[in-house]
Amino acid sequence: MSKPAARVADLRRRIEAANHRYYVLDDPAIPDAEYDALMRELEGLEAEHPDLASDDSPTRTVGSRPEGGFNEVRHAIPMLSLANAFEDPNGGDDDRLRYREVAEFERRIEDRLDTRAPRFSVEPKLDGLAISLRYEDGVFVQGATRGDGATGEDVTANLRQVRSVPLRLRADDALQVPAVLEVRGEIYMPRKDFEAWNAQALARNEKLLANPRNGAAGSLRQLDPAVTRRRPLAFFAYGVGEVTGLELPQTHSDTLALLRRFGFPVAPEVDTATGFDGLIAYYRRIGGVRDDLPYDIDGVVYKLDRYDQQRTLGFVSRAPRWALAHKYPAQEQATVLRAIEIQIGRTGAATPVARLEPVQVAGVTVTNATLHNADQIARLDVREGDTVIVRRAGDVIPEIVRVVEDRRPDGTTAWTMPATCPVCGSELVREEGAAAFRCTGGLTCGAQRKEAVRHFASRRAMDIEGLGEKQADALVEYGFVDSIADLYALDVADLVRMKAALDAPTAADLLQMVDDSRGALVLDDDTRTALAQEPPEWRRADFLRTHLQVAPEGGRVAVKWAENLLAGIDASRRTTLPRFLFALGIPHLGETTARTLAQWLGSLDFVRATPALVLQALPDIGAEVARSIATFFEQPGNVAVVDALLAAGIAFEDEGRPDPGLHARLGLAQVLSSLGVNKLGGKSAERLAQTYGDLDALLKANASGWTGAGLSTAGADNLQAWLDDGDARARLVAAWEATRRLLDAAPARARTAAGPLDGQTVVLTGTLSAMTREEATERLEALGAKATGSVSKKTTFLVAGEAAGSKLAKAEALGIDIWDEAKLVAFLDAQA
Ligand code: IVH
């Protein structure tokens, strides 16, 4: 085979494969720009070597034959394609060179018609899916895809679900509906709907749509119209096919106006223009608003407006000579993914970022792209070394939409989220039910340092007067402060240096500041010379500490300011435990949770040492919050910072012992039921706790022993399985030990000297929601009541919770005072 013949064969094979992936599978393999390049090379070769041309070449056919699923529709008038023109980036400033193909198109038309500057209909080139809608006597009867141009797929049922496809033509007195009208146009997915769709898919961990066009094509080719209905699709008309029983206007632009009257949406950007300059002006105007349009376009289309002129020009193979698609630079390009790196946000969120071989996408060099999250990487199976398709549309951050699998090099491996933070080495954990991973090294992680200092100093946290966000950021950025503990090591001189660096836009300004300070700030001569060169490190703490001396004589504004801030920092040393806990910036630990922890556990030592399983037993602390708190205090970096804060003299005015109420809340039964073991709920946990009394004894027994103690067989098996899993046993033992320590430290609830309920006998029945029955009993007893288990004439009142049964009935029969939970809570609150 000759060399060109081999190349032609190769090109046809590749184009046909790409057509199949694009049109039949809705799963494009190569970027559009690459497809266009292959096609143009083939067209060029066939023009040069007419002997190689053939009727079944992809240059003569359009798209791909339909395949399965839908019935075939033969188009009465073929659905053609458009010749493409691209921008020549080397064409310089001369439009006729830069847009040479447009100039040639327009010149050819002028020559054939022997007119100057003919008029064109100019339209956006919507990036969707071409369809034909057939109306008979005004009623929508059939809708078809383009298919190979001659035969398409019958997607009538799906098109009926698209709201902007009229099911009936509109008619009025002056407008009769024709016998047959075929309307051609584009089905597309509005960009906003596409983004919303993907945002939702991301949150639900579902497959993302690669781009709006794929979204439209995939949605229209759903076999179930109900699925299509849920997809946000829209339609714009841009032409007609078969028409009978209607005299069409003389021009294409009038036809579009007529279609509007029949009820079809036509893109509002559609216009007319004359001559080459008019075409290019339109191309530029639409290019300028491209990113702001509510739909994706990949170019503009020029169509000779007068039908008689169109007829004079006719067709070549698959495209009319009177029309041209003028394409914008592609929004998708292929490039190689060098690496996937983890970026830690200021609140610790870990986002994977793709580092790319630089590539031009829609006029911008792209080197990074977002990969959203670990799930998205798994879904796309993106690997380092892969060739990927990068998409950049509008001002959206470039993203990777798919992998070109055919180009995957050997030896790649599936990507997994690293276990530790690349910035600080703390654990990365995934929050329950969330897609995002988070760094747990809040206090030491460089990425989170600014945020940590800002939050620590803020009014509701440590409330350090004078330390606003700007100052906090500067302290961290210049290196005066690495962690919040370093705040307490600052001195007046440091703060003056920081303020000087913050207030001086350049090193020269700092020099000026020193000169104006009348001796309060001092620089040696060598440093003066060095500063004149604007060395990049002049704002750094170590540089300033070495070279900028601060004379402590009072009076200077900066010194006064620093002294005040230092006094603010100093004052923050005496604080409360809830403030401090909140100030640490532990994820999910708000002010309310901070107060709960302080109230129930009493001291920082207990907060730090209490495992998640036990924290969960405190009011309003769920599993996720408990885990977040415990994980925070497990990170060595965080531990070191907290210790350093204590060493710097942080003290709490409100530390005390754990709350006496813990006795009613915490015990073996609570710990067991918080394990989340299926079939080991509150009741059976209670029975186990009563039988064994201690965890040790319970663990020495086995499943059959537990069943003897009142656990179901399934519950016993589940507990056994739970204990056999990894470090579960150790965690349970730790939880129980922590519980014991807490209970040992918590005083029994003191009897009120003279209790308001002295001498009264109460009975509790039913389920309470605000507290356990044990807790209620304990609180009533603390007020002097005697709690008994059965109702008698001696009972003073009965507390009836939800689903109270026989005891309530008996109390009613005896005429005993009955309290509901609301009354109990109000009473207890009034006594507190
Ligand atoms: S006219 C004979 N007008 O571009 C002319 N096509 O490659 C037939 N397209 O299949 C097409 N916007 O999917 C025309 N305003 C527009 C268009 C448009 C988008 C698409 C259409 C067609 C392809 C041509």
Side-chain angles (χ1 to χ4, degrees), residues 99-116:
Y99 307 115
R100 187 178 45 80
E101 293 166 320
V102 178
E104 286 169 2
F105 162 78
E106 200 268 345
R107 173 59 42 84
R108 229 175 10 245
I109 292 175
E110 288 191 352
D111 290 351
R112 294 232 178 178
L113 297 177
D114 199 18
T115 31
R116 294 305 94 178

Side-chain angles (χ1 to χ4, degrees), residues 80-82 123-126 130 146 186 238 301 303 320 322:
L80 295 171
S81 182
L82 294 168
E123 310 167 9
K125 185 170 187 302
L126 300 154
R146 182 172 67 173
E186 199 86 347
Y238 56 61
V301 181
K303 297 172 187 164
W322 43 261

Side-chain angles (χ1 to χ4, degrees), residues 286-300:
I286 298 301
V289 298
R290 180 186 185 191
D291 286 350
D292 306 320
L293 291 179
Y295 31 82
D296 268 10
I297 62 170
D298 58 347
V300 290

Side-chain angles (χ1 to χ4, degrees), residues 114 166 212 235 314 408 482 517 540 633 643 671 711 734 740 778:
D114 199 18
F235 174 73
R408 171 165 289 167
D482 276 341
S517 78
R540 302 288 315 161
F633 287 113
D643 285 339
V671 172
L711 194 57
R740 296 288 298 271
E778 210 193 310

